[in-house]
Amino acid sequence: MKEKIDQLFENEAQLPKISSVVSKVMEMVGKPDVVIADLAKEISKDPGLTAAVIKLSNSAYFRPAKPVKTVQESLMTLGIKTVKDIILLNETKGILKKELKGYQVDGESNWMHSLIVAELAKRIAVQKKLKVDKDVVFTAGLLHNIGKVILADFFPTVLMQFRAELQTYEGPYTDLEAKYFGYTHQEAGAKLLAKWNFPEELIEVARYYTEPEKATQFPELVSIIHIANCIVLLGGMGIDIGGLKIPLSSKALQNVGVTEGDLQMYYTLLPEMVKHIEELISV
């Protein structure tokens, strides 16, 4: 099975992909001297992306003071990093809403899970006054489990054995992913983001969000996403074939300074966040 997945990564035409315009925009946003007019010009090369940016910029989620009519107005009103989030959200929607039948998660549930993790992670970073870029936190939360999209297509041939062994297996289900596929979904996700030339911090989140104690470069960011993911799963959103087998890491809580009281507060915020996110995806 591993050989088949290796072949998939070697044949990039079969991998989920992002457009050349989005890749260029991600590269431009990462530069401190990026010019808004240049960025607007690049985004406007893609009519569909342009329409999506304007539409989402006017959503109740972002609540602009006045209607946004152009990409440049969006960049000036909401800020470059927020528009980057909008672009990435629009670009990955089709990928993250894919049916993950092997994981026993429908596309809508996985998409909502990713969005809520991103939103909660951003709120944790703000509430704990952490020195991480809030847009990076949102992006990391959005993409944390993207590797499942890769492995889901390989599940049908091993699903019965996988499910049977999972019933009595007491370790993390990612060990079974490695056994049956030669990859965990974290490894697959990190490999995909590397193929997309995404920043190292996003790759490390994808690789270690279930094992934050192994993160070496960006432990704080990885820990934020780990905590958010665990809380959202506990809230019943995006639970897959592994159920609740990802334990909440005490190291992650220590890295971020999250207390038991914080955890309870974050959990109570979930219904309000779901409503907030629905304002974003209803446009």
Side-chain angles (χ1 to χ4, degrees), residues 8 22 47 54 69 79 100 109 111 117 119 123 163 175 259-260 276 278:
L8 176 66
V22 172
I54 295 171
K69 299 177 183 178
L100 303 180
S109 295
W111 175 232
V117 169
E119 177 76 8
R123 294 199 189 191
R163 188 183 294 165
D175 287 354
T259 66
E260 184 66 34
H276 194 44
E278 285 175 346

Side-chain angles (χ1 to χ4, degrees), residues 195-213:
K195 286 281 187 182
W196 286 354
N197 295 315
F198 273 25
E200 285 296 324
E201 56 261 56
L202 300 182
I203 294 172
E204 182 159 281
V205 167
R207 178 66 184 85
Y208 294 120
Y209 81 92
T210 67
E211 306 169 291
E213 57 280 350

Side-chain angles (χ1 to χ4, degrees), residues 128-237:
K128 302 308 292 185
K129 298 179 180 178
L130 302 174
K131 295 179 181 179
V132 290
D133 287 342
K134 307 309 178 289
D135 69 303
V136 173
V137 174
F138 187 89
T139 303
L142 186 67
L143 300 174
H144 71 283
N145 68 354
I146 197 167
K148 290 180 181 179
V149 173
I150 300 294
L151 296 191
D153 288 339
F154 295 90
F155 251 107
T157 58
V158 302
L159 182 58
M160 297 304 291
Q161 306 98 296
F162 191 102
R163 188 183 294 165
E165 187 167 352
L166 186 62
Q167 289 178 355
T168 57
Y169 189 72
E170 296 184 356
Y173 79 99
T174 49
D175 287 354
L176 297 184
E177 288 178 334
K179 174 182 177 179
Y180 285 97
F181 305 120
Y183 283 96
T184 64
H185 74 272
Q186 299 101 305
E187 291 169 335
K191 201 173 178 74
L192 177 61
L193 295 185
K195 286 281 187 182
W196 286 354
N197 295 315
F198 273 25
E200 285 296 324
E201 56 261 56
L202 300 182
I203 294 172
E204 182 159 281
V205 167
R207 178 66 184 85
Y208 294 120
Y209 81 92
T210 67
E211 306 169 291
E213 57 280 350
K214 293 184 179 180
T216 56
Q217 292 181 278
F218 309 97
E220 191 174 66
L221 177 61
V222 175
S223 295
I224 295 168
I225 306 305
H226 169 81
I227 294 167
N229 178 66
C230 287
I231 293 171
V232 174
L233 287 176
L234 190 62
M237 289 174 276

Side-chain angles (χ1 to χ4, degrees), residues 4-278:
K4 291 182 179 179
I5 297 175
D6 285 337
Q7 289 173 7
L8 176 66
F9 277 112
E10 289 171 9
N11 185 0
E12 295 188 22
Q14 296 180 12
L15 286 172
K17 56 180 69 68
I18 58 175
S19 75
S20 57
V21 170
V22 172
S23 294
K24 181 64 177 178
V25 168
M26 290 290 289
E27 179 188 336
M28 292 173 71
V29 169
K31 296 178 180 178
D33 58 348
V34 62
V35 177
I36 284 181
D38 293 342
L39 195 56
K41 184 177 179 181
E42 185 64 34
I43 296 169
S44 298
K45 289 179 180 179
D46 185 327
L49 183 59
T50 298
V53 167
I54 295 171
K55 186 177 181 182
L56 286 169
S57 295
N58 285 301
S59 70
Y61 179 90
F62 291 109
R63 294 180 173 86
K66 61 180 182 179
V68 171
K69 299 177 183 178
T70 67
V71 171
Q72 183 144 336
E73 285 181 6
S74 178
L75 288 163
M76 295 178 70
T77 302
L78 302 181
I80 291 173
K81 292 181 177 180
T82 297
V83 173
K84 187 261 306 184
D85 285 344
I86 291 174
I87 290 170
L88 197 58
L89 187 151
N90 179 72
E91 186 72 3
T92 58
K93 180 179 179 180
I95 299 170
L96 293 172
K97 283 189 75 171
K98 177 183 175 182
E99 294 288 318
L100 303 180
K101 292 183 179 179
Y103 283 97
Q104 300 178 349
V105 179
D106 64 79
E108 198 67 45
S109 295
N110 187 57
W111 175 232
M112 180 60 80
H113 170 85
S114 299
L115 288 167
I116 297 297
V117 169
E119 177 76 8
L120 177 55
K122 186 169 68 171
R123 294 199 189 191
I124 292 172
V126 171
Q127 188 256 336
K128 302 308 292 185
K129 298 179 180 178
L130 302 174
K131 295 179 181 179
V132 290
D133 287 342
K134 307 309 178 289
D135 69 303
V136 173
V137 174
F138 187 89
T139 303
L142 186 67
L143 300 174
H144 71 283
N145 68 354
I146 197 167
K148 290 180 181 179
V149 173
I150 300 294
L151 296 191
D153 288 339
F154 295 90
F155 251 107
T157 58
V158 302
L159 182 58
M160 297 304 291
Q161 306 98 296
F162 191 102
R163 188 183 294 165
E165 187 167 352
L166 186 62
Q167 289 178 355
T168 57
Y169 189 72
E170 296 184 356
Y173 79 99
T174 49
D175 287 354
L176 297 184
E177 288 178 334
K179 174 182 177 179
Y180 285 97
F181 305 120
Y183 283 96
T184 64
H185 74 272
Q186 299 101 305
E187 291 169 335
K191 201 173 178 74
L192 177 61
L193 295 185
K195 286 281 187 182
W196 286 354
N197 295 315
F198 273 25
E200 285 296 324
E201 56 261 56
L202 300 182
I203 294 172
E204 182 159 281
V205 167
R207 178 66 184 85
Y208 294 120
Y209 81 92
T210 67
E211 306 169 291
E213 57 280 350
K214 293 184 179 180
T216 56
Q217 292 181 278
F218 309 97
E220 191 174 66
L221 177 61
V222 175
S223 295
I224 295 168
I225 306 305
H226 169 81
I227 294 167
N229 178 66
C230 287
I231 293 171
V232 174
L233 287 176
L234 190 62
M237 289 174 276
I239 297 177
D240 62 14
I241 193 171
L244 298 173
K245 281 182 173 284
I246 300 175
L248 183 59
S249 166
S250 58
K251 179 66 173 176
L253 297 176
Q254 180 184 339
N255 286 342
V256 182
V258 167
T259 66
E260 184 66 34
D262 290 330
L263 291 173
Q264 293 176 10
M265 184 263 290
Y266 299 149
Y267 185 79
T268 62
L269 287 176
L270 290 179
E272 180 259 321
M273 274 190 282
V274 169
K275 183 179 179 180
H276 194 44
I277 290 296
E278 285 175 346

